[in-house]
Amino acid sequence: MIFQTASVIGLGTMGHGIAQMLAIAGMRVSAFDNNTDARESLHNRIRSNMLVMQSLGLLDGIDLDDVLSRVIICETEAEALADSQFVTEAIAEDLLVKQEFFARCEDIVSKETILASNTSSFPMTSIAADLNRPERAINTHWFNPPHVIPVVEIIPGERTSCETTETVLDLFKSIGKHPVHIRKERPGFVLNRLQVALFREMLDLIEQGVISAADLDTAIMGSLAIRWAATGPMKVGDFGGWDVLAKIYEVLAPQMRSNHEVPEVLRAMVGRGDYGLKTGKGFFDFTDQEINEITAEKDRRFMIWSKLFQESNQGNSDT
Ligand SMILES: NC(=O)c1ccc[n+]([C@@H]2O[C@H](COP(=O)([O-])OP(=O)(O)OC[C@H]3O[C@@H](n4cnc5c(N)ncnc54)[C@H](O)[C@@H]3O)[C@@H](O)[C@H]2O)c1
């Protein structure tokens, strides 16, 4: 199926980048947010994302104004949904809000329109529980920043049809993303589960005074991250030898943090209001000027790594 029209509802951190990627791929994207500022700033945010991408040679042959002309800012949700072949919501992370949104969609869109959620946590089986046509509803979990990170987790619900799943996998390949088919719904899907597993141990090590936050970042960036980025962790295991890893696992696993409590170091930070960049302090301190510089540098690095990933992983997956 060739998609010509799409809708993106919710234009915050995720939605604006999703709209951008669909428009770059040539679709006419109808966009809506119930916040006026989010609507009015949409084109500027997309333009500034694209200027950074362009400076790194990631948008060769793509005309910025042409892309922006395909992003239509709508004044109502209904206007944004009309004539859409592919609806993505990136609205509030609230199950009822998402359920009600998709119920409204069913009254407006055609029977063939695919309904996608960018939820971080709710299974599509729950979101689509009361839909008349749950077979065309699916989770498509993009990563922040969505216009940069290549992988999107594709998670069908129990009643999503194979046809919808295949169509969506093809769609994401066609827009230059790297879809990964998550074959069973689990809380946090796959990648958020892994992040929490690692954060549990990393925060525990910081709390115990084993390593500082800065040294931990350096240690990961200069070792595991290089190996994982270059080959993926499962191949790292193949290279290292699973016989050795099985022995290390046996010794270390019982000694690692396994309780479900939020580590005290994290609880205290959140209690102090040290949320990170957004409050100027997390594990590190940030001045207003640094925030802009660090964010730009972070985006630049993400794009360089993403480009390397795209070059070395063309067609390289089971999905
Ligand atoms: N931020 C991330 O890193 C990330 C990553 C993956 C998935 N997600 C998921 O994507 C979704 C959006 O997250 P975000 O970080 O972009 O949030 P955000 O707060 O930055 O943006 C949400 C936007 O949706 C708008 N909105 C809320 N309810 C709406 C409604 N009913 N109709 C229209 N607009 C509405 C808000 O005004 C806001 O602009 C959530 O489900 C979140 O869990 C977020």
Side-chain angles (χ1 to χ4, degrees):
M1 177 171 178
I2 309 269
F3 289 85
Q4 285 164 342
T5 56
S7 309
V8 178
I9 312 296
L11 306 171
T13 306
M14 300 302 291
H16 85 283
I18 295 172
Q20 173 186 331
M21 291 311 293
L22 299 175
I24 288 175
M27 281 174 244
R28 182 180 182 278
V29 182
S30 301
F32 175 73
D33 194 296
N34 60 13
N35 177 293
T36 312
D37 288 347
R39 290 199 301 277
E40 288 179 351
S41 62
L42 178 66
H43 277 195
N44 279 343
R45 286 180 289 147
I46 293 180
R47 183 185 289 280
S48 70
N49 288 344
M50 288 201 295
L51 287 173
V52 182
M53 292 173 83
Q54 213 172 37
S55 71
L56 291 168
L58 294 172
L59 285 183
D60 289 348
I62 293 189
D63 184 282
L64 265 60
D65 290 327
D66 208 27
V67 172
L68 286 172
S69 73
R70 287 196 291 275
V71 180
I72 317 296
I73 301 168
C74 301
E75 291 302 311
T76 65
E77 180 185 280
E79 183 192 340
L81 293 174
D83 300 327
S84 180
Q85 295 172 295
F86 180 71
V87 175
T88 294
E89 67 78 15
I91 60 177
E93 185 69 0
D94 179 306
L95 182 58
L96 188 60
V97 169
K98 290 187 190 293
Q99 286 172 329
E100 289 176 348
F101 168 73
F102 284 120
R104 289 195 300 277
C105 283
E106 280 201 316
D107 291 337
I108 298 174
V109 301
S110 81
K111 289 191 183 110
E112 290 73 35
T113 302
I114 289 180
L115 304 179
S117 171
N118 186 45
T119 176
S120 306
S121 57
F122 304 117
M124 184 44 82
T125 303
S126 307
I127 297 176
D130 294 327
L131 291 185
N132 296 320
R133 295 178 62 91
E135 65 276 12
R136 43 74 174 270
I138 190 162
N139 277 345
T140 55
H141 184 225
W142 301 61
F143 287 79
N144 187 24
H147 63 286
V148 178
I149 303 297
V151 162
V152 179
E153 290 179 303
I154 307 296
I155 315 111
E158 282 168 13
R159 295 192 292 164
T160 307
S161 69
C162 294
E163 190 191 343
T164 298
T165 305
E166 288 305 320
T167 303
V168 169
L169 289 168
D170 287 344
L171 167 65
F172 277 82
K173 284 177 199 159
S174 76
I175 67 168
K177 285 290 173 187
H178 204 89
V180 175
H181 184 185
I182 307 300
R183 291 157 206 267
K184 289 184 180 172
E185 285 179 316
R186 292 287 179 270
F189 314 131
V190 168
L191 294 175
N192 278 346
R193 283 177 87 92
L194 294 179
Q195 281 209 103
V196 170
L198 270 178
F199 272 127
R200 176 162 67 180
E201 189 58 25
M202 291 190 291
L203 290 166
D204 191 60
L205 291 169
I206 291 173
E207 189 166 295
Q208 290 184 51
V210 175
I211 190 165
S212 70
D215 283 348
L216 183 58
D217 273 354
T218 308
I220 298 267
M221 286 167 69
S223 64
L224 299 184
I226 292 177
R227 300 200 315 201
W228 290 352
T231 69
M234 304 315 287
K235 282 209 190 73
V236 167
D238 272 355
F239 290 135
W242 289 106
D243 51 332
V244 180
L245 277 162
K247 286 191 180 131
I248 297 172
Y249 189 107
E250 203 178 356
V251 173
L252 292 188
Q255 304 192 44
M256 292 167 62
R257 186 179 176 111
S258 61
N259 74 40
H260 301 168
E261 302 297 317
V262 174
E264 188 47 38
V265 64
L266 177 55
R267 192 189 299 280
M269 244 179 21
V270 172
R272 286 193 303 272
D274 294 341
Y275 298 164
L277 221 66
K278 65 175 98 168
T279 59
K281 186 173 171 52
F283 276 110
F284 307 97
D285 294 324
F286 307 97
T287 64
D288 283 348
Q289 192 202 346
E290 278 172 344
I291 288 176
N292 292 335
E293 284 167 13
I294 288 169
T295 305
E297 173 60 12
K298 181 238 342 153
D299 286 349
R300 200 184 66 82
R301 289 189 192 194
F302 280 6
M303 285 182 199
I304 291 169
W305 282 108
S306 297
K307 193 174 173 192
L308 276 173
F309 172 85
Q310 296 283 29
E311 285 164 6
S312 59
N313 283 280
Q314 298 295 347
N316 181 17
S317 92
D318 285 341
T319 293

